[in-house]
Amino acid sequence: MARRHAPPPVWIREDRLPTLEEVTWLTSPEGRSTTTEMQESPADTPAAIARWRQRLSADQVAAAWQQVQLRRAARSKFTRAAEMLFDRVALEQASDEVVAAHKARRFAGISRVADLCCGIGGDALALARVCPVVALDWSAVRLEMTRHNVAVYGGTVETVRGDASFDRPEAEAVHVDPDRRAEGPRRHDLASGSPSLEELGRIVAHYGQAAIKVSPGADFSTLPFDAEVELISHRGECRQAVLWTGSLQQAYRRAAILPEGVSLSAGRGDDLSWPEPRAPRAGDVLLEPDASVIRADLVGVLARRLGAAPVDPQIAHLVSDRAETGGLATAFRVVDVA
């Protein structure tokens, strides 16, 4: 008889959300003091967990320890992470506060903005500093986290539980952060998000003025609506792309470099082609454009601005006789060419 083998295990991400009861407890004096104490006395071994369970329920110990770990991971995104609430998936997808503040500046003067798919409020906390915000998400727990996190930064937010594909809170403009993990692993193509590309088109048609956060690796040639595509890098890494529509649109393509606040843009119809290449020579300066400039297809624009030339028709490195880049590239002196 042939031996039957058990199917291999299917591993999935740990994406457990705290319950509303746990969130309420975490924000209580006991919950806050517990997470503070756990930073020095972690619940990371069976013996430590047993000690903590002498004082608290198993669910409280698990919820507090999860927040301690997530807050440590969130320090690279949020300066006030030690006071905030997270779940793992929403934290990984959240805009960090520097990028969120950069985007929020365009909403200054807007009477009210709807933040669809708000998650744990990474963008809402920045938007609330410049205009009134109504935040929408399918998860009541994440809405509670958003309220708490916005308050940590000194703001307030109205929350609505609903489906971003269908629900349209009253607002003058909208910010949307589609779920790129709706079907499992993170996806970069626009069609795989939730709301879908078709649904995003309907959102744009409804509000007119929109900012849609998408993957910087997406194909922007398939957009069903007119939009500025802004690529945003932070500390040298291209973090996200934003599609701006309506009066929020300022260019055709833009690269923004944070935290320096340097940007490069091109209008529709501007020449994006690259100049003729030339080989580097000893004594030249080799320029490596910022990742956002490369992804925004603005290498040719940068080359003409700096009086530089690409080293090859397909390599996004430039050669110049001067090292001044305006913060848009990194300069290296060519010592020798072999």
Side-chain angles (χ1 to χ4, degrees):
M1 179 181 294
R3 175 176 293 181
R4 292 181 177 271
H5 294 278
V10 177
W11 301 104
I12 60 174
R13 326 182 35 84
E14 190 282 305
D15 57 357
R16 174 186 177 273
L17 280 169
T19 65
L20 282 174
E21 291 76 12
E22 289 168 350
V23 168
T24 300
W25 176 76
L26 286 165
T27 57
S28 70
E30 182 183 46
R32 292 197 300 271
S33 65
T34 297
T35 52
T36 299
E37 187 179 346
M38 269 191 185
Q39 295 184 49
E40 301 299 328
S41 180
D44 58 351
T45 67
I49 293 170
R51 286 195 298 270
W52 276 107
R53 287 183 179 179
Q54 293 174 6
R55 297 167 44 187
L56 304 167
S57 71
D59 288 342
Q60 288 172 334
V61 173
W65 179 235
Q66 180 189 45
Q67 289 306 310
V68 171
Q69 293 175 296
L70 292 176
R71 286 169 177 175
R72 289 174 181 170
R75 289 172 186 166
S76 62
K77 287 191 171 187
F78 302 101
T79 56
R80 302 182 188 180
E83 305 168 62
M84 298 171 69
L85 294 174
F86 306 101
D87 71 270
R88 187 173 304 280
V89 172
L91 170 59
E92 290 178 358
Q93 296 189 122
S95 299
D96 69 54
E97 65 183 41
V98 174
V99 175
H102 168 77
K103 293 190 293 180
R105 293 186 189 101
R106 285 211 205 186
F107 289 90
I110 296 291
S111 61
R112 177 177 160 102
V113 59
D115 185 20
L116 307 186
C117 311
C118 66
I120 52 89
D123 283 292
L125 61 85
L127 290 167
R129 290 182 168 185
V130 300
C131 61
V133 179
V134 52
L136 179 142
D137 201 276
W138 63 268
S139 168
V141 172
R142 285 180 175 159
L143 290 173
E144 190 60 37
M145 289 179 175
T146 291
R147 278 193 290 269
H148 173 82
N149 293 338
V150 171
V152 165
Y153 280 79
T156 59
V157 61
E158 178 187 343
T159 57
V160 176
R161 188 178 184 184
D163 187 333
S165 298
F166 307 103
D167 296 309
R168 304 285 184 264
E170 184 178 346
E172 184 183 355
V174 64
H175 175 275
V176 193
D177 184 2
D179 183 1
R180 287 189 271 139
R181 289 177 172 153
E183 299 178 359
R186 181 181 297 188
R187 302 286 295 274
H188 296 288
D189 55 306
L190 297 172
S192 298
S194 179
S196 67
L197 187 57
E198 181 180 356
E199 290 159 349
L200 290 174
R202 289 195 286 267
I203 291 172
V204 169
H206 178 85
Y207 288 102
Q209 302 178 95
I212 302 171
K213 174 183 167 183
V214 297
S215 167
D219 178 5
F220 306 118
S221 66
T222 61
L223 295 179
F225 47 83
D226 181 50
E228 170 192 339
V229 180
E230 180 182 33
L231 278 298
I232 304 173
S233 69
H234 185 206
R235 297 173 183 163
E237 181 182 348
C238 196
R239 295 293 182 87
Q240 63 180 256
V242 184
L243 310 178
W244 298 96
T245 72
S247 65
L248 298 175
Q249 184 175 357
Q250 298 176 349
Y252 171 62
R253 289 284 188 274
R254 182 183 301 274
I257 302 170
L258 304 176
E260 294 81 1
V262 177
S263 68
L264 179 69
S265 64
R268 190 175 298 279
D270 285 356
D271 183 8
L272 303 186
S273 65
W274 294 14
E276 287 296 314
R278 78 168 177 85
R281 301 180 293 264
D284 280 344
V285 176
L286 187 69
L287 305 176
E288 181 181 6
D290 183 81
S292 64
V293 174
I294 297 172
R295 190 65 193 94
D297 195 19
L298 295 175
V299 173
V301 175
L302 177 62
R304 278 183 285 276
R305 172 181 288 195
L306 300 179
V311 299
D312 184 272
Q314 297 181 323
I315 298 177
H317 282 71
L318 307 175
V319 63
S320 176
D321 57 3
R322 62 180 190 268
E324 179 57 45
T325 69
L328 296 164
T330 303
F332 304 89
R333 181 68 62 180
V334 179
V335 177
D336 196 8
V337 178

